[in-house]
Amino acid sequence: MSQLKKSWVDSANSAETPFPLNNLPYGVFSTADTEPRCGVAIGDMILDMQAAEEAGLIEIGDEPVFDVPFWNELMELGSDAWSALRARLGQLLGEGSTERDAVEPLLVAQADAELHMPFLVSEYTDFYAGRQHAANMGAILRGSPDLPANWLHIPIGYNGRASSVVISGTPIHRPNGQRKAPDAEMPSFGPSMRLDIELEMGAIVGKPSEFGQPITVDEADDMIFGYVLLNDWSARDIQGWEYQPLGPFQGKAFGTSISPWIVTAAALEEFRAPTPEREKELLPYLDGSKDGLYDIELQVLMQPEGGDTTSVVGETNYTRMYYSAAEQLCHHAIGGCAMNVGDLLGSGTISGPTKTEYGSLMEMSWAGREPFTLDTGETRTFIEDGDTLTLRGAAKGDGFQIGFGDCVGQILPAVSWPK
Amino acid sequence: MSQLKKSWVDSANSAETPFPLNNLPYGVFSTADTEPRCGVAIGDMILDMQAAEEAGLIEIGDEPVFDVPFWNELMELGSDAWSALRARLGQLLGEGSTERDAVEPLLVAQADAELHMPFLVSEYTDFYAGRQHAANMGAILRGSPDLPANWLHIPIGYNGRASSVVISGTPIHRPNGQRKAPDAEMPSFGPSMRLDIELEMGAIVGKPSEFGQPITVDEADDMIFGYVLLNDWSARDIQGWEYQPLGPFQGKAFGTSISPWIVTAAALEEFRAPTPEREKELLPYLDGSKDGLYDIELQVLMQPEGGDTTSVVGETNYTRMYYSAAEQLCHHAIGGCAMNVGDLLGSGTISGPTKTEYGSLMEMSWAGREPFTLDTGETRTFIEDGDTLTLRGAAKGDGFQIGFGDCVGQILPAVSWPK
């Protein structure tokens, strides 16, 4: 395990900052004076990449890369460019940099910046690859923790809706939709009454695969540019009524929040961790040579409207997944589905084995049957209007941590319908 | 019902051409001399829209619209621009046009042109909205034609994969994937052995809806720019093993073919037809004021490799759907899912009540149990390598028809894997 890499930006040298020189995550920001543009977080500052490129401090590729407010163009350049940029940022921002005088004026305080979507989402896929979550959902919904017959063989996934993916901080309206009570004869229409989160990691595809051509797990691993925290907001009642036989649709399409900073696979490299021992041997196409998970500590926090006390309601770790993002991506392309730069893969809900380690309110409240208590003394089963839900994550090194920035969303009341 | 509108392009005045002046469908073409560009089919010719715009014959909006090889930019301009362009094309190409001398040099023979994807697919959603198909699939897969409990209330859909959508003529590799025989203990990996088509219509969204904001059926109807034929290639064995509990994934991701010409909603307007009588009353949010289907006759044709005899294996009509594209689009957005220009909605498989009217081989061969015979005397259950499948469709007027161009795909052998 490496140690803290020192920067001349003082705030980046704290054991508490999520953004030391070891991290260098990629986001998009604006200020009162500037339109949205690419930036790199360092301590409590952001390096303005557009300005750095214009000043000749960053030269990646033949054309400007940072004249657009998203990171897809860097991804398009391929992994040599990814490595070159990371090395160059280390030079510019590292302790003893000879270019500090040129770089320092290009730093913007995070406190003065608004963050925006860091990349254009091409397509969004959500998986169901947490063993404990799948067992819990089976126990809750079907009365048995037995896994679906295919679960130990396939990283089960479904296509989600890219247009629903929003940056942390975007308020989410409680969705309207169809739901049917078990004892009702007919469905009814109205606001979801079982609104939930799902704590996930999101993997961002940075290299494409060709239509009609499968890929290996190792190739898939190389295609992943970086990771974000991902909250797959879920309307359990809408989902429960709609999902047979073709899977989740409107119960998952009203919002998917991601954290503001893309943490690169390179920054996470030293935190690689193995997938758990296989209960059944996987088919050989799902074999890879690398540890595919990462040791990232994760939290779910909840705060009622108007309160000032935020309660940690769940704590788990990305290593709780059964399938890695590389395995998921390999499976995604194995029939010839073309994968594109900007594709986003949700890991599936990450739950540990005990009740304090669950990644959804469905599990925490056991489908609403067992309310849980916040630090304020209030209880919850599902989300109430005005509640703010936050995901937080960090890989912890020796005297430093690699964070993502909080993934935050407040639930607003449903829009009235019909208008 | 209107009659044939005459054009000075002679080939457009035949009762047999799919592209009379009444149609004016939008595609993208290239020739030996030109890169891909937008074009409008008229008889056996194509009007080069880039050249027409450069020549000042077409002026839509303040900026050039046809300097890019896709129709999304026209869609972005909104329905006044859609109407204005259609009216202008009628002027330019109609009998007695005073501008014939300027337009005629801009016509390209379809025989000399290669066709390309007519629009950028933003996201792709596939529905399951044909009553007969749903009953057939229930009978085949679950032993009962009873519909899922939600089917008569919800236009059931799932998100598909936009990166799999290809233009007619693109060969499709038989996909590899996981499948498990009912009596096998473990799944195996290899080429799909139950490769199928689904005969569908595709509706193209031309106007966006806002994140968090539902739409009505009438608003949805106004958002639809046009239609294509759509073949939702399906690997039944892969789908059957993967689809519980989250729906189809790799069984549907190896290719979705569309016909080359977008037939506008305006061209189809006079062929509107009602959805069937409701077996259960729909929730009010699914009410609309217009007939949402169109009277479009549809065929499935099959030709073994190397043969010269094409057999019609299925004939049906778009009016066989239970839900309209506008109802599907309304439902898609009802929870606040943002819909974007270029979104593509597959209708679901269109099957009529008798065996000659089915829209998939799964139904024609009753899951492989009842082989059907081609005109050559050969039999088929599912698709064999080298087979070419074609979808054809036309709305039939008084002495004219509105066609889409064939939607063709040949199945190539699976790629060998591992490499």
Side-chain angles (χ1 to χ4, degrees):
Chain A
M1 181 68 64
S2 68
Q3 294 188 309
L4 174 75
K5 294 179 188 162
K6 288 224 170 165
S7 167
W8 53 261
V9 180
D10 282 343
S11 59
N13 298 326
S14 147
E16 274 67 54
T17 181
F19 309 125
L21 191 66
N22 309 57
N23 193 348
L24 299 173
Y26 301 152
V28 168
F29 74 100
S30 63
T31 66
D33 304 322
T34 60
E35 293 293 298
R37 50 180 58 196
C38 291
V40 176
I42 181 77
D44 57 10
M45 307 296 282
I46 300 171
L47 174 60
D48 180 334
M49 292 299 287
Q50 184 175 326
E53 188 173 62
E54 286 167 2
L57 291 165
I58 300 280
E59 290 181 81
I60 301 287
D62 303 327
E63 304 276 322
V65 173
F66 299 110
D67 54 348
V68 290
F70 42 80
W71 284 82
N72 301 58
E73 297 215 349
L74 175 70
M75 298 184 213
E76 299 271 5
L77 293 180
S79 45
D80 286 351
W82 308 352
S83 301
L85 178 64
R86 185 168 167 80
R88 180 64 180 144
L89 289 167
Q91 279 180 346
L92 292 175
L93 294 166
E95 194 176 48
S97 167
T98 57
E99 292 159 295
R100 174 174 174 169
D101 289 350
V103 175
E104 199 154 11
L106 310 183
L107 293 178
V108 172
Q110 284 175 29
D112 297 334
E114 184 182 351
L115 297 175
H116 306 273
M117 278 292 291
F119 69 108
L120 303 177
V121 181
S122 182
E123 298 191 62
Y124 165 51
T125 309
D126 193 33
F127 286 86
Y128 184 58
R131 176 81 171 81
Q132 185 67 45
H133 173 70
N136 286 346
M137 294 302 272
I140 290 168
L141 297 176
R142 295 180 288 275
S144 160
D146 291 351
L147 297 167
N150 51 16
W151 200 93
L152 292 171
H153 303 283
I154 298 179
I156 296 288
Y158 65 99
N159 300 297
R161 182 78 194 173
S163 69
S164 73
V165 181
V166 295
I167 185 73
S168 171
T170 307
I172 306 287
H173 281 285
R174 178 181 299 273
N176 290 304
Q178 280 197 39
R179 56 281 197 283
K180 192 179 86 64
D183 55 348
E185 197 196 332
M186 292 281 285
S188 60
F189 178 82
S192 169
M193 293 177 290
R194 292 162 80 92
L195 190 55
D196 200 356
I197 58 149
E198 293 194 338
L199 165 62
E200 304 193 18
M201 294 295 301
I204 299 162
V205 176
K207 291 183 207 175
S209 76
E210 202 178 328
F211 179 70
Q213 298 300 323
I215 54 175
T216 65
V217 172
D218 283 352
E219 286 168 342
D221 192 275
D222 282 342
M223 288 165 61
I224 298 172
F225 179 71
Y227 291 83
V228 288
L229 307 176
L230 185 148
N231 182 353
D232 178 37
W233 301 94
S234 299
R236 300 296 179 192
D237 43 358
I238 295 172
Q239 183 185 351
W241 169 234
E242 77 182 357
Y243 91 109
Q244 288 288 6
L246 298 187
F249 190 52
Q250 291 311 291
K252 298 278 196 174
F254 57 95
T256 302
S257 302
I258 63 169
S259 57
W261 296 102
I262 303 172
V263 174
T264 62
L268 290 169
E269 181 63 27
E270 64 180 307
F271 298 97
R272 280 187 182 269
T275 47
E277 194 176 348
R278 299 304 170 185
E279 295 180 40
K280 297 201 176 176
E281 194 176 358
L282 293 179
L283 285 163
Y285 80 94
L286 287 170
D287 286 345
S289 66
K290 291 182 181 172
D291 287 345
L293 297 176
Y294 298 93
D295 181 3
I296 300 170
E297 297 177 20
L298 299 163
Q299 287 184 320
V300 179
L301 304 97
M302 194 165 188
Q303 181 176 320
E305 188 163 28
D308 54 7
T309 302
T310 299
S311 309
V312 176
V313 294
E315 291 191 280
T316 183
N317 193 296
Y318 184 41
T319 55
R320 294 296 186 186
M321 300 312 289
Y322 192 82
Y323 292 101
S324 69
E327 289 165 347
Q328 291 169 336
L329 180 52
C330 164
H331 179 71
H332 207 321
I334 201 65
C337 178
M339 303 304 299
N340 288 313
V341 171
D343 283 341
L344 175 64
L345 274 54
S347 61
T349 309
I350 307 168
S351 290
T354 72
K355 191 165 176 165
T356 60
E357 297 169 87
Y358 293 165
S360 73
L361 276 55
M362 185 79 165
E363 296 164 88
M364 295 175 199
S365 73
W366 213 250
R369 297 197 281 273
E370 301 171 12
F372 58 90
T373 306
L374 305 179
D375 296 350
T376 57
E378 291 166 275
T379 61
R380 282 291 183 278
T381 51
F382 292 99
I383 303 171
E384 298 190 6
D385 286 350
D387 285 349
T388 295
L389 276 293
T390 298
L391 310 184
R392 189 171 291 163
K396 303 274 176 71
D398 182 3
F400 72 97
Q401 51 183 312
I402 303 282
F404 295 80
D406 286 353
C407 178
V408 184
Q410 185 182 30
I411 292 296
L412 303 183
V415 298
S416 74
W417 192 256
K419 290 177 211 178
Chain B
M1 182 69 63
S2 68
Q3 295 189 309
L4 175 74
K5 293 179 190 163
K6 288 223 169 166
S7 168
W8 52 261
V9 180
D10 282 342
S11 59
N13 298 328
S14 146
E16 273 68 54
T17 181
F19 309 123
L21 192 67
N22 309 56
N23 192 348
L24 298 174
Y26 300 152
V28 168
F29 74 100
S30 62
T31 66
D33 304 321
T34 59
E35 293 292 298
R37 50 180 56 198
C38 290
V40 175
I42 180 76
D44 57 11
M45 306 298 282
I46 301 171
L47 174 60
D48 180 334
M49 292 299 287
Q50 184 175 325
E53 188 174 60
E54 285 168 2
L57 290 166
I58 299 281
E59 291 180 80
I60 300 288
D62 303 327
E63 304 275 323
V65 173
F66 299 111
D67 54 347
V68 291
F70 42 81
W71 283 82
N72 301 58
E73 297 215 348
L74 176 71
M75 298 185 213
E76 299 272 4
L77 293 179
S79 44
D80 287 350
W82 309 353
S83 303
L85 178 64
R86 184 168 168 80
R88 179 65 180 143
L89 289 167
Q91 278 180 345
L92 291 175
L93 294 166
E95 194 175 48
S97 168
T98 57
E99 292 159 297
R100 174 175 174 169
D101 289 350
V103 174
E104 198 154 12
L106 310 182
L107 293 179
V108 173
Q110 284 174 31
D112 297 334
E114 183 182 352
L115 298 174
H116 305 272
M117 278 292 291
F119 69 109
L120 303 178
V121 182
S122 183
E123 298 192 63
Y124 165 52
T125 308
D126 192 35
F127 286 86
Y128 184 58
R131 177 81 172 79
Q132 185 68 45
H133 173 70
N136 287 346
M137 294 302 272
I140 290 169
L141 297 176
R142 295 179 288 275
S144 160
D146 291 352
L147 297 167
N150 51 16
W151 200 94
L152 291 171
H153 303 283
I154 298 179
I156 296 287
Y158 66 99
N159 299 297
R161 182 77 193 172
S163 69
S164 74
V165 181
V166 295
I167 184 73
S168 170
T170 308
I172 307 286
H173 282 286
R174 179 181 299 272
N176 290 302
Q178 280 197 38
R179 56 278 198 286
K180 191 178 88 64
D183 55 349
E185 197 195 332
M186 293 281 285
S188 61
F189 179 83
S192 168
M193 292 177 292
R194 291 162 82 90
L195 190 55
D196 200 355
I197 58 149
E198 292 194 338
L199 166 62
E200 304 192 18
M201 295 295 301
I204 299 162
V205 176
K207 291 183 206 175
S209 76
E210 202 179 328
F211 179 69
Q213 297 301 323
I215 56 175
T216 65
V217 172
D218 283 351
E219 287 168 343
D221 192 275
D222 282 342
M223 288 165 61
I224 297 173
F225 179 70
Y227 291 82
V228 288
L229 307 176
L230 185 149
N231 182 352
D232 178 36
W233 302 93
S234 299
R236 300 295 179 194
D237 43 358
I238 295 171
Q239 183 184 351
W241 169 234
E242 77 183 356
Y243 90 109
Q244 288 288 4
L246 297 188
F249 190 51
Q250 290 311 290
K252 297 277 196 173
F254 57 96
T256 303
S257 303
I258 63 169
S259 57
W261 297 101
I262 302 172
V263 174
T264 61
L268 291 169
E269 181 63 27
E270 63 180 308
F271 299 97
R272 280 187 182 268
T275 47
E277 195 175 350
R278 299 304 169 185
E279 297 180 38
K280 296 200 177 177
E281 194 176 359
L282 292 179
L283 286 164
Y285 80 94
L286 286 171
D287 287 344
S289 65
K290 291 184 182 171
D291 288 344
L293 297 176
Y294 297 93
D295 181 3
I296 300 170
E297 297 177 19
L298 298 164
Q299 288 184 319
V300 180
L301 303 99
M302 193 165 188
Q303 183 177 319
E305 187 164 27
D308 54 7
T309 303
T310 298
S311 309
V312 175
V313 296
E315 290 191 281
T316 183
N317 193 296
Y318 183 41
T319 55
R320 294 296 187 184
M321 300 312 290
Y322 191 81
Y323 292 103
S324 69
E327 289 165 345
Q328 292 170 335
L329 180 53
C330 164
H331 178 72
H332 207 321
I334 201 66
C337 179
M339 303 304 299
N340 287 313
V341 171
D343 283 342
L344 175 64
L345 274 55
S347 61
T349 309
I350 306 166
S351 291
T354 72
K355 191 166 175 165
T356 60
E357 297 170 86
Y358 293 165
S360 72
L361 277 55
M362 185 78 167
E363 294 164 271
M364 295 175 200
S365 73
W366 213 248
R369 299 196 280 272
E370 302 171 11
F372 58 89
T373 305
L374 305 180
D375 296 350
T376 57
E378 290 166 276
T379 60
R380 284 290 183 278
T381 51
F382 293 99
I383 303 172
E384 298 189 6
D385 287 351
D387 286 350
T388 295
L389 277 293
T390 298
L391 309 183
R392 189 170 291 164
K396 302 274 176 72
D398 182 4
F400 72 96
Q401 50 183 312
I402 303 282
F404 295 79
D406 286 352
C407 177
V408 183
Q410 185 182 29
I411 291 296
L412 304 183
V415 299
S416 72
W417 191 255
K419 290 176 209 177

